[in-house]
């Protein structure tokens, strides 16, 4: 801390030759990124504007954005993303503070419960939820055995099941970025604010929240892009009743053999994710 | 000290962390406009006492009154104190002006008044032109000034500095000591500094409280603290000294006769014959040669250190005892290493302290 305080940032102009040399070093990785990420996206964009005979057309986009059913599907995806992100945030923010305050064995235990599920595949976790939520599943069996209910409650294939499962599965991606920021937060900031006359609520709103914003934005961007594009989770936990962009993309490619329409849906999904990430970057920019 | 002038009154403050007692029944009264330093080694309780005044570490027992108000139960945000932290704790998400305005904003001060107060505080610390800067674009010295401006802007009843200058390099720190003292006197602030740096304490304060093991060992003006240390700890912590262990053989009228390895010495102090004591004096009291009615000792010069305006002479007086003499630059004769020398020093500047406190 001391050294960082003492050394004022010094900016010197970088000579062109150094720039060129630096570019030489990053060129190979740029090439790989271009091949692995940019090329497929370009192909996706291309396919989305081609008709069956290879002509250029906007038909796929008109069908997607002009049909009430498909607009509903887009809304379903957005709604899923917004709900899951909001709920995950409300749980994760206090959890990240608890995690940062915890010491020793308790902290290791809490971190392990967050990290371990990341090692299991999404499919495994989604199936685990179906086992818990089925009519003859664990939750219903226990509730009936305890005499709390007489007949099994319908839980699987409901929106509640979808949201609960998705929040659970994507939670670590919200907690960890926030925790990373909270753990670095110097407690002196809150103390300084308090001695300057700020009540605990004002300290939170004016100091803690702005200082943890980078973690919140990272978590929100991650969880939103994961949940808006989730395929396995809605397929297994709610199925046909709640079609999303991800499920109609799969259908377009696998069942209907309409790659153009699938690609167009993919581009729309991508656009939504890009807008969210761009907004996050904009929000997290340092004040001038 | 008249009771009316008492501004900050700390009485009977104690604080424990688990089994460790950090503050033990501390009493301290500070006048309005006074600059007081809490001086001591790490772990002596000085920072805890500062945090107790700020409300960041409430004491277990005792009361703290500031400007006529009992603050003991008040949370930090209702105390009207200003704290300058060692790490400055400037808000990185706000600009320089945003940091200085923070305390006024949360008080709901009108915008025009805030702007005026911010401009005034920043010009006081000579940073009037940097209000729009980001904190990360400032040097350490500039951050220190912003932290000070932020604390001053709310016009607190007392300013608290927690090792606030220790992160600066030495030259800058010495400049800031003088400038800070001038500035605090200019705005008539009451301030408490916490430091382990004796030079800072002597430079900055009207009075110094030497702290040890959760207690205030001595509270005195810098000159008095140096010339009349109240304990062996205070003697050791502030300034250099010559110290010789011995046994009391006679005592009368607040003076004791002590037998030491270097001979019989007379010192201020009240002890029973037979008591083990440390006899001490300040190095600049030692003069080459002998003098009538003064303490004296002789030995062989071990080292001579030239320090510009003064020269320090370390003398091996035999039997494990050593003498430390400071000769001013005007001294005609400066001994060389291995010279046999004799030093004398006034009885009135010789003190006896209980030896067991040395641990």
């Amino acid at each position: 801390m001391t050294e960082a305080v003492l050394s004022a940032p010094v900016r010197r102009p970088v000579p062109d030759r150094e720039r060129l040399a630096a570019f030489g070093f990053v060129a190979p990785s740029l090439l790989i990124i271009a091949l692995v990420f940019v090329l497929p996206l370009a192909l996706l964009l291309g396919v989305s504007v081609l008709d069956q005979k290879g002509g250029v057309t906007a038909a796929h986009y008109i069908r997607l954005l002009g049909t009430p059913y498909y607009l509903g599907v887009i809304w379903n995806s957005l709604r899923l993303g917004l709900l899951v992100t909001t709920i995950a945030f409300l749980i994760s923010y206090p959890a990240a503070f608890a995690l940062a305050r915890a010491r020793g064995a308790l902290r290791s235990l809490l971190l392990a419960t967050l990290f371990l599920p990341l090692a299991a595949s999404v499919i495994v976790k989604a199936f685990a939820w179906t086992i818990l939520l089925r009519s003859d599943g664990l939750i219903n069996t226990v509730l009936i055995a305890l005499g709390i209910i007489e007949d099994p409650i319908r839980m699987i294939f409901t929106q509640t099941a979808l949201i609960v499962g998705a929040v659970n599965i994507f939670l670590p991606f919200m907690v960890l970025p926030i925790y990373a920021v909270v753990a670095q937060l110097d407690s002196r900031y809150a103390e300084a604010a308090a001695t300057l006359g700020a009540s605990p609520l004002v300290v939170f709103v004016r100091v803690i929240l702005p200082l943890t914003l980078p973690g919140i934005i990272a978590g929100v961007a991650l969880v939103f892009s994961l949940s808006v594009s989730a395929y396995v989770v809605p397929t297994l936990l709610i199925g046909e009743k709640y079609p999303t962009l991800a499920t109609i993309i799969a259908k377009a490619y696998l069942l209907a053999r309409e790659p153009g329409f699938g690609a167009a849906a993919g581009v729309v999904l991508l656009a939504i994710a890009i807008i969210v990430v761009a907004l996050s970057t904009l929000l997290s920019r340092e004040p001038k | 000290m008249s009771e009316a002038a008492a501004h900050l009154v700390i009485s009977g403050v104690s604080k424990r962390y688990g089994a460790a007692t950090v503050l033990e029944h501390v009493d301290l009264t500070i006048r309005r406009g006074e600059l007081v330093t809490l001086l001591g080694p790490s772990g002596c309780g000085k920072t805890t006492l500062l945090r107790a005044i700020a409300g960041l570490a409430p004491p277990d027992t005792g009361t703290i009154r500031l400007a006529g108000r009992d603050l003991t139960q008040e949370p930090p945000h209702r105390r009207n104190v200003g704290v300058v932290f060692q790490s400055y704790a400037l808000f990185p998400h706000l600009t320089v002006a945003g940091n200085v305005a923070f305390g006024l904003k949360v008080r709901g001060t009108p915008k025009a008044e805030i702007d005026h107060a911010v401009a005034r505080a920043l010009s006081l610390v000579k940073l009037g032109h940097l209000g729009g800067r980001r904190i990360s674009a400032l040097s350490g010295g500039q951050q220190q000034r912003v932290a000070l401006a932020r604390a001053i802007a709310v016009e607190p009843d007392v300013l608290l500095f927690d090792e606030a200058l220790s992160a600066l390099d030495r030259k800058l720190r010495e400049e800031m000591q003088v400038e800070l003292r001038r500035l605090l006197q200019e705005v008539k602030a009451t301030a408490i500094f916490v430091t382990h740096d004796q030079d800072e304490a002597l430079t900055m304060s009207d009075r110094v409280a030497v702290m040890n093991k959760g207690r205030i060992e001595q509270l005195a003006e810098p000159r008095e603290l140096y010339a009349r240390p109240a304990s062996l700890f205070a003697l050791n912590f502030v300034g250099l000294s010559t110290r010789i262990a011995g046994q009391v053989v006679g005592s009368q009228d607040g003076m004791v006769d002590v037998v030491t390895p270097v001979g019989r010495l007379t010192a201020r102090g009240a002890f029973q014959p037979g008591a083990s004591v440390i006899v001490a004096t300040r190095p600049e009291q030692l003069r080459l040669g002998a003098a009538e009615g003064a303490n004296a000792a002789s030995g062989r010069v071990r080292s001579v250190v030239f320090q510009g305006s003064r020269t320090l002479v370390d003398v091996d007086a035999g039997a494990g005892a050593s003498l430390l003499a400071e000769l001013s630059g005007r001294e005609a004769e400066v001994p060389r290493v291995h010279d046999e020398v004799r030093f004398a020093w006034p009885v009135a500047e010789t003190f006896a302290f209980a030896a067991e406190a040395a641990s």
Side-chain angles (χ1 to χ4, degrees):
Chain A
M1 178 75 200
T2 308
E3 279 168 35
V5 165
L6 287 175
S7 59
V10 178
R11 290 220 177 85
R12 67 187 174 88
V14 182
D16 286 344
R17 255 185 47 194
E18 276 185 40
R19 275 180 205 276
L20 204 66
F23 183 76
F25 281 111
V26 295
S29 17
L30 285 180
L31 194 69
I32 291 172
I33 289 173
L35 279 176
V36 176
F37 292 100
V38 181
L39 193 64
L41 284 181
L43 283 174
L44 187 76
L45 266 174
V47 172
S48 76
V49 293
L50 290 181
D51 62 20
Q52 303 285 47
K53 299 185 193 79
V56 175
T57 174
H60 304 309
Y61 287 99
I62 293 167
R63 182 177 160 206
L64 192 63
L65 300 171
T67 321
Y69 173 77
Y70 288 120
L71 284 177
V73 168
I74 294 174
W75 169 240
N76 277 351
S77 284
L78 271 175
R79 187 168 166 275
L80 177 65
L82 291 173
L83 272 174
V84 170
T85 306
T86 308
I87 297 170
F89 168 70
L90 292 177
I91 297 172
S92 300
Y93 198 66
F97 276 84
L99 200 57
R101 297 261 161 84
R103 290 284 169 266
L106 179 64
R107 186 184 208 155
S108 312
L109 185 75
L110 290 173
L111 277 173
T113 56
L114 265 179
F115 273 114
L116 276 183
L118 292 179
S121 134
V122 174
I123 301 184
V124 173
K125 283 178 278 191
F127 266 121
W129 273 106
T130 66
I131 293 168
L132 284 174
L133 299 171
R134 275 193 320 233
S135 300
D136 59 345
L138 189 67
I139 296 175
N140 272 318
T141 313
V142 169
L143 287 178
I144 291 170
L146 291 173
I148 295 171
I149 54 170
E150 283 177 17
D151 297 311
I153 301 172
R154 186 176 161 73
M155 285 182 287
I156 190 76
F157 305 131
T158 63
Q159 289 201 23
T160 314
L162 172 64
I163 301 296
V164 168
V167 166
N168 167 260
I169 288 163
F170 298 132
L171 201 63
F173 298 98
M174 183 71 85
V175 176
L176 291 174
I178 299 179
Y179 163 71
V181 172
V182 171
Q184 297 291 316
L185 194 66
D186 187 346
S187 63
R188 294 277 184 272
Y189 291 132
E191 292 186 350
T195 60
L196 286 165
S199 65
L201 181 68
V202 174
V203 172
F204 178 77
V205 173
R206 284 188 181 262
V207 178
I208 306 289
L209 205 56
L211 288 180
T212 52
L213 199 60
I216 296 172
I217 286 166
V220 164
L222 272 174
V223 170
F224 184 81
S225 35
L226 283 171
S227 53
V228 81
S229 62
Y231 173 69
V232 172
V233 177
T235 305
L236 289 181
L237 293 183
I238 193 163
E240 293 290 318
K241 279 198 316 189
Y242 196 87
T244 63
L245 275 172
T247 54
I248 66 159
I249 292 170
K251 213 179 279 176
Y253 275 101
L254 302 174
L255 300 174
R257 308 269 169 202
E258 295 174 313
F261 184 66
V267 170
V268 169
L269 188 54
L270 190 68
I272 293 173
I274 287 174
I275 289 169
V276 169
V277 172
L279 278 179
S280 327
T281 321
L282 214 64
L283 277 173
S284 64
R285 200 173 285 171
E286 275 186 73
K288 286 273 150 41
Chain B
M1 187 191 321
S2 80
E3 199 54 41
H7 183 59
L8 175 66
V9 182
I10 295 161
S11 32
V13 162
S14 298
K15 175 94 185 161
R16 304 174 66 85
Y17 287 119
T21 301
V22 190
L23 291 176
E24 204 171 338
H25 205 84
V26 171
D27 295 315
L28 178 63
T29 300
I30 294 172
R31 292 181 290 259
R32 182 179 291 278
E34 199 175 18
L35 308 179
V36 172
T37 292
L38 306 178
L39 176 68
S42 59
C44 72
K46 57 189 194 295
T47 294
T48 307
L49 183 57
L50 195 85
R51 292 173 64 80
I53 298 167
L56 299 171
D60 300 333
T61 60
T63 59
I64 296 169
R65 297 181 60 85
L66 177 62
R69 263 194 322 145
D70 185 349
L71 293 187
T72 317
Q73 302 300 325
E74 290 287 323
H77 65 277
R78 290 205 211 104
R79 293 195 172 205
N80 200 32
V81 298
V83 185
V84 178
F85 292 90
Q86 180 173 17
S87 60
Y88 312 137
L90 295 171
F91 306 127
H93 61 295
L94 300 176
T95 61
V96 167
N99 267 276
V100 178
F102 186 91
L104 298 162
K105 266 192 187 148
V106 302
R107 281 166 164 78
T109 311
K111 174 132 190 356
E113 264 179 62
I114 293 180
D115 291 345
H116 182 74
V118 168
R120 181 171 171 269
L122 281 177
S123 80
L124 263 178
V125 298
K126 298 184 186 136
L127 287 181
H129 54 301
L130 293 184
R133 284 273 185 98
R134 280 181 298 122
I135 296 304
S136 57
L138 299 181
S139 71
Q142 289 171 332
Q143 295 195 4
Q144 216 278 329
R145 286 157 190 267
V146 177
L148 177 63
R150 183 177 69 175
I152 286 179
V154 297
E155 296 179 11
D157 289 322
V158 64
L159 271 167
L160 308 172
F161 295 82
D162 184 10
E163 303 267 8
L165 300 181
S166 63
L168 304 177
D169 62 68
R170 191 178 152 187
K171 193 169 176 313
L172 192 56
R173 188 166 66 228
E174 285 171 359
E175 285 171 15
M176 272 307 287
Q177 285 169 9
V178 176
E179 191 184 328
L180 186 55
R181 180 173 176 113
R182 184 191 52 73
L183 193 152
L184 291 174
Q185 284 170 335
E186 191 180 315
V187 299
K188 297 187 172 60
T190 310
I192 301 178
F193 308 96
V194 154
T195 185
H196 60 268
D197 179 344
Q198 50 161 309
D199 294 331
E200 197 172 308
L202 299 180
T203 308
M204 308 270 294
S205 4
D206 301 322
R207 285 192 297 162
V208 178
V210 177
M211 292 190 67
N212 184 30
K213 295 176 183 162
R215 293 169 176 277
I216 293 178
E217 294 238 345
Q218 186 172 9
L219 175 64
E221 291 173 15
R223 200 169 287 277
E224 159 101 7
L225 178 69
Y226 182 80
R228 297 279 178 269
S231 67
L232 193 59
F233 181 83
L235 170 94
N236 285 342
F237 206 80
V238 179
L240 297 169
S241 57
T242 278
R243 299 182 295 276
I244 301 161
Q247 282 221 317
V248 175
V249 290
S251 91
Q252 61 169 2
D253 301 338
M255 303 298 284
V256 286
D257 281 324
V258 183
V259 170
T260 74
V262 302
R264 202 178 170 102
L265 301 173
T266 307
R268 292 164 167 267
F271 294 95
Q272 294 299 316
S276 290
V277 295
I278 304 285
V279 176
T281 191
R282 294 296 185 187
E284 68 276 14
Q285 301 296 341
L286 272 66
R287 286 283 171 275
L288 278 168
E292 193 65 29
N295 287 318
S298 54
R300 186 188 290 272
V301 174
R302 194 155 36 201
S303 69
V304 177
V305 179
F306 175 67
Q307 292 189 326
S309 61
R310 63 182 191 175
T311 301
L312 289 176
V313 181
D314 183 24
V315 177
D316 180 359
S322 60
L323 307 174
L324 184 65
E326 179 188 320
L327 305 177
S328 83
R330 283 188 298 255
E331 212 90 24
E333 187 190 349
V334 172
R336 296 165 169 275
V337 176
H338 300 316
D339 282 359
E340 287 287 340
V341 290
R342 184 168 179 80
F343 278 108
W345 64 96
V347 166
E349 298 299 334
T350 311
F351 313 98
F353 299 108
E356 56 263 27
S359 63

